[in-house]
Amino acid sequence: MALTLFDTDEYRPPVWKSYLYQLQQEAPHPRRITCTCEVENRPKYYGREFHGMISRETADQLLSVAEGSYLIRESQRQPGTYTLALRFGNQTRNFRLYHDGKHFVGEKRFESIHDLVTDGLITLYIETKAAEYIAKMTINPIYEHIGYTTLNREPAYKKHMPTLRDTQDERDSTGEDGVSEKRLTSLVRRATLKENEQIPKYEKVHNFKVHTFRGPHWCEYCANFMWGLIAQGVKCADCGLNVHKQCSKMVPNDCKPDLKHVKKVYSCDLTTLVKAHITKRPMVVDMCIREIESRGLNSEGLYRVSGFSDLIEDVKMAFDRDGEKADISVNMYEDINIITGALKLYFRDLPIPLITYDAYPKFIDSAKTMDPDEQLETLHEALKLLPPAHCETLRYLMAHLKRVTLHEKENLMNAENLGIVFGPTLMRSPEQDAMAALNDIRVVEMALVHSGQAGSPRMLGILPMGLCPPRLL
């Protein structure tokens, strides 16, 4: 079946604004003022543009020949420090110059002085000529109308496409269409989701990183040219959105991670992972728990006994390489402790713990509270501080660990034992000490105790109802 990803009646390509690009083309070009005499103690990383210890007045006279002229001089007031003198706007501008393997006067670092001056002249020229324009360029952005959100919008015809089931549900969802669905790209997979799909729409901030764009690039928020030679803007490492640094502050928290950018499973932010794979919870959690519950609930010392570290690392690499296609069946890993080890390693490797740093103090407060009703209320408040994907994953894990305790006679793992194992795994205090570790254990043990109160009306309100069905608490 042929796929047309966008409805041509709805989609309009963005109109890129070239005013700033034209200004960059007009910017003065660098003109090095060469020192004709030998200079003692010339730093090895400077060339003939270095004039030694000369005064500001001398530098100003040398640079008066043309716009864009530049030289480097050693400070007379502070020997051993260096200044870039640059002619712009019919006046000499002086910048403290640094070198740490690359040249810089601010945040940007350059391979050569020539590149630094070129970028500086572009920036000075554009910010001088278009200061008012730049101040207003985030007004009326293209983003909401014909930009990023439109390109990622689900096409109207999606209801006619095969339905992707929630592969992370408590039941196995593989069906007749399973083979063909695995071949769908992440973009087409996104388009096949039904409006009433159970997978929640988690909000996620963009993971912007300063980026150097090769060739001309335009901002996907305001449609304006991204000027400069290097570090012209920022790029979202999870979805690929390219915007000006100032525009990044205006972009909504609607990052839609794509698998072509999210290339690993372990050590990946939890919300990023579930949005990239379009699941409720990380597939590692669901797949490992399903495997453990199918053949390991009666295993003595479950979660306490360690598996072989090399094989646990194999499971990690399988998930990073194959994602939900990773084979963790009994045919591959007969020892269930390999799977429990892989699950614990996933939580330990999270860059932001399952119980986040922001929510950590509130969870500790709930563990320290002696009154049961007050403890439950404090736990309720703590859970509301978790990002939705973290909250849903914690709910699912606690329900699983509660089922582990139901087999305590065989596996010898009660709530206290599981608290000892999972306390330091699910939460990390900024100040690590023995008392903090003890509190972490109490938090998990307390959560397990309350997970057993599914019949309590108070317990039903602990987690957001849309994410945490009462039947699984």
Side-chain angles (χ1 to χ4, degrees), residues 355 363 367 394 397-398 401 415-427 438-451:
I355 295 177
F363 274 93
L394 179 62
L397 177 64
M398 288 298 107
L401 295 181
E416 182 180 358
N417 291 335
L418 289 170
I420 293 171
V421 172
F422 278 94
T425 301
L426 302 183
M427 53 199 303
L438 180 59
N439 289 330
D440 296 348
I441 293 169
R442 288 173 178 168
V443 168
V444 175
E445 185 178 355
M446 173 198 62
L448 279 172
V449 169
H450 286 300
S451 294

Side-chain angles (χ1 to χ4, degrees), residues 268-448:
C268 176
D269 171 68
L270 190 150
T271 302
T272 299
L273 185 68
V274 297
K275 286 183 70 69
H277 287 268
I278 317 177
T279 57
K280 284 184 181 179
R281 300 169 296 273
M283 94 285 288
V284 177
V285 176
D286 279 31
M287 291 175 65
C288 287
I289 286 179
R290 282 202 299 266
E291 195 67 27
I292 293 164
E293 294 195 352
S294 68
R295 60 184 174 97
L297 287 178
N298 293 328
S299 178
E300 184 175 331
L302 188 67
Y303 285 114
R304 189 183 67 238
V305 177
S306 300
F308 288 109
S309 58
D310 288 348
L311 293 179
I312 293 173
E313 192 67 24
D314 285 346
V315 175
K316 172 184 175 179
M317 289 189 293
F319 276 117
D320 282 341
R321 181 182 64 247
D322 304 324
E324 60 192 23
K325 298 178 183 178
D327 185 0
I328 60 171
S329 67
V330 66
N331 296 328
M332 285 294 295
Y333 304 100
E334 184 178 357
D335 184 3
I336 196 63
N337 298 311
I338 303 300
I339 310 304
T340 59
L343 179 60
K344 290 185 292 183
L345 179 61
Y346 171 76
F347 287 119
R348 287 198 301 272
D349 278 0
L350 284 175
I352 300 174
L354 184 62
I355 295 177
T356 62
Y357 296 115
D358 288 341
Y360 182 93
K362 203 69 175 178
F363 274 93
I364 295 300
D365 288 345
S366 65
K368 291 179 178 179
T369 303
M370 303 306 295
D371 179 78
D373 289 338
E374 185 179 346
Q375 184 179 74
L376 197 59
E377 186 64 31
T378 308
L379 179 58
H380 177 86
E381 296 298 321
L383 288 164
K384 290 195 291 186
L385 296 175
L386 292 177
H390 285 244
C391 185
E392 165 61 22
T393 303
L394 179 62
R395 176 205 66 79
Y396 188 71
L397 177 64
M398 288 298 107
H400 161 66
L401 295 181
K402 184 60 185 179
R403 290 192 287 273
V404 171
T405 64
L406 297 179
H407 297 258
E408 178 187 349
K409 289 184 179 180
E410 293 80 18
N411 60 38
L412 306 181
M413 296 299 291
N414 56 24
E416 182 180 358
N417 291 335
L418 289 170
I420 293 171
V421 172
F422 278 94
T425 301
L426 302 183
M427 53 199 303
R428 298 191 291 272
S429 168
E431 302 86 21
Q432 285 294 344
D433 55 46
M435 185 55 67
L438 180 59
N439 289 330
D440 296 348
I441 293 169
R442 288 173 178 168
V443 168
V444 175
E445 185 178 355
M446 173 198 62
L448 279 172

